[in-house]
């Protein structure tokens, strides 16, 4: 009871702190930078419009709710590729590795990069192009730790470094994510999750690219002048989500024999079919809030279908919804590749409708060993 009270107070403090830090209002929309921190490279959670705050587990939790990292069993490795805004040639690649530490803790590291392709160099005097090309380098790396109490409550914290650069100008910053997940119910079928993401230092571009040559006041010689860029905030986000699992075709396996113990007589239930419904509210510091829901159909823990819908809150109709308002869907296949079944491989795909462009496609490959 004391532990539950402490965790509840921690969750309440997290929400209170988030409300103080985010304090979003319409006047701040569009003022944040480092928007790549809001992009989700992982296919499983992308198929739910990144609204699985209460259910996300393993390495994907390092993007959505770090508290779920401690729910991995052994080691996990994920490779992911995202084709953003089909037709724009913008891509995102991600790599993550996590390892169980003891019986309740887990550590993870994740790296995400953006690929903008080769962009022609243009100047004022040569707007048609100089013949050269450039490609921005955007990447972020995160280190996270999560701890789980009695399979009911898990907490976690993640520190992320963000880098955005060209050949002669760059910006660097730090962000912190924190989260809590709570599992309850007779069959652990009700879940609650809270996460606070992208709370960190402002970023500011610096470098030789902001300098230019100008004549002196008397015009006798040239001087180098450096422009000062305006710093920008990170896109802070608060997520609150809940989910409920409905179990179908559950079978209990009884032990045979008069000498079987009570523990052997009825083994844990095997749930062949699970329907998971979830809802989520997202409070954005620099854009309108969002609310939505989704569902997952899980068959034999091997085949999963998912779909979700998300809508902006407070849109009066005079402006467009967020790019990712609308439908999302996806599927996963997870199969064992050893006789014991402890080593598994998962293949995930997700599609999210966008307006404009022709949607976003997520692909992930997971190894669990």
């Amino acid at each position: 009871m004391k532990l539950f009270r402490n965790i509840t107070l921690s969750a309440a403090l997290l929400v209170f702190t988030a409300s103080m830090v985010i304090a979003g209002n319409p006047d701040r929309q569009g003022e944040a930078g480092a928007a790549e921190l809001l992009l989700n490279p992982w296919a499983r959670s992308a198929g739910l419009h990144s609204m699985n705050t209460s259910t996300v587990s393993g390495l994907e939790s390092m993007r959505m709710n770090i508290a779920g990292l401690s729910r991995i069993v052994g080691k996990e490795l994920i490779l992911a590729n995202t084709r953003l805004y089909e037709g724009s040639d913008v891509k995102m690649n991600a790599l993550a590795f996590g390892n169980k530490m003891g019986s309740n803790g887990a550590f993870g590291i994740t790296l995400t990069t953006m690929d903008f392709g080769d962009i022609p160099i243009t100047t004022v005097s040569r707007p048609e192009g100089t013949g050269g090309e450039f490609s921005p380098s955007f990447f972020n790396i995160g280190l996270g730790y999560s701890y789980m109490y009695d399979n009911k409550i898990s907490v976690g914290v993640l520190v992320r470094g963000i880098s955005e650069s060209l050949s002669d100008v760059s910006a660097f910053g730090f962000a912190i994510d924190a989260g809590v997940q709570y599992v309850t119910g007779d069959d652990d079928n009700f879940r609650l999750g809270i996460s606070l993401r992208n709370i960190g230092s402002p970023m500011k571009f610096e470098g030789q690219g902001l300098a230019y040559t100008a004549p002196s006041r008397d015009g006798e010689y040239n001087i180098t002048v450096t422009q000062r860029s305006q710093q920008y905030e990170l896109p802070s986000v608060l997520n609150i989500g809940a989910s409920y699992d409905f179990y179908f075709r559950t079978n209990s396996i009884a032990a045979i024999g008069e000498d079987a113990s009570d523990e052997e007589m009825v083994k844990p239930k095997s749930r062949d079919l699970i329907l998971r419904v979830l809802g989520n509210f997202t409070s954005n510091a620099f854009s309108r809030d969002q609310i939505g829901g989704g569902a997952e159909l899980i068959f034999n823990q091997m085949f999963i279908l998912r779909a979700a819908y998300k809508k902006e809150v407070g849109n009066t109709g005079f402006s467009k919804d967020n790019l990712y308002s609308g439908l999302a869907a996806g599927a996963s296949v997870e199969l064992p590749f050893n006789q014991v079944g402890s080593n598994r491989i998962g293949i995930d795909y997700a599609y999210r409708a966008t307006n404009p462009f022709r949607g976003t496609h997520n692909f992930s490959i997971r190894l669990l060993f």
Side-chain angles (χ1 to χ4, degrees), residues 69-95:
L69 178 63
S70 56
R71 299 187 182 275
I72 63 174
V73 177
K75 297 179 177 66
E76 185 177 356
L77 175 68
I78 301 184
L79 299 172
N81 173 263
T82 303
R83 288 160 47 192
L84 288 162
Y85 325 129
E86 187 67 31
S88 69
D89 293 330
V90 179
K91 299 179 178 64
M92 180 168 54
N93 300 299
L95 168 68

Side-chain angles (χ1 to χ4, degrees), residues 12-220:
L13 179 61
L14 180 63
V15 175
F16 176 75
T17 304
S19 64
M20 297 294 291
V21 173
I22 293 181
N25 65 75
D27 296 334
R28 304 174 68 190
Q29 293 182 21
E31 294 181 4
E36 68 273 15
L37 296 178
L38 299 177
L39 301 178
N40 184 7
W42 311 121
R44 283 193 299 168
S45 50
L48 291 169
H49 255 323
S50 305
M51 295 189 298
N52 54 339
T53 308
S54 60
T55 63
V56 65
S57 63
L59 292 177
E60 292 202 11
S61 63
M62 299 184 72
R63 201 68 172 188
M64 308 313 307
N65 185 354
I66 182 59
L69 178 63
S70 56
R71 299 187 182 275
I72 63 174
V73 177
K75 297 179 177 66
E76 185 177 356
L77 175 68
I78 301 184
L79 299 172
N81 173 263
T82 303
R83 288 160 47 192
L84 288 162
Y85 325 129
E86 187 67 31
S88 69
D89 293 330
V90 179
K91 299 179 178 64
M92 180 168 54
N93 300 299
L95 168 68
F97 175 77
N99 186 32
K100 196 75 172 180
M101 300 180 65
S103 57
N104 296 320
F107 171 81
I109 181 171
T110 177
L111 175 66
T112 305
T113 65
M114 300 292 298
D115 181 3
F116 298 96
D118 295 324
I119 304 173
I121 298 176
T122 60
T123 64
V124 175
S125 58
R126 301 185 64 179
E128 74 284 355
T130 63
E133 296 177 332
F134 74 98
S135 181
S137 176
F138 281 30
F139 75 90
N140 60 78
I141 183 170
L143 301 174
Y145 178 79
S146 174
Y147 189 84
M148 180 170 54
Y149 300 90
D150 299 326
N151 198 39
K152 293 293 184 181
I153 300 172
S154 58
V155 296
V157 63
L158 177 142
V159 178
R160 194 185 309 275
I162 309 111
S163 174
E164 300 179 343
S165 64
L166 298 175
S167 59
D168 52 4
V169 64
S170 62
F172 187 80
F174 289 96
I176 296 177
D177 296 0
V180 177
Q181 282 184 340
Y182 176 60
V183 180
T184 187
D186 294 337
D187 292 314
D188 291 339
N189 54 347
F190 177 77
R191 301 167 188 261
L192 176 67
I194 303 172
S195 69
L196 178 61
R197 300 182 53 235
N198 306 331
I199 302 299
S201 62
M203 296 177 63
K204 183 178 181 180
F205 280 100
E206 298 176 334
Q208 292 297 319
L210 298 177
Y212 65 96
T213 301
S216 62
R217 289 186 178 182
D218 55 17
E220 294 183 357

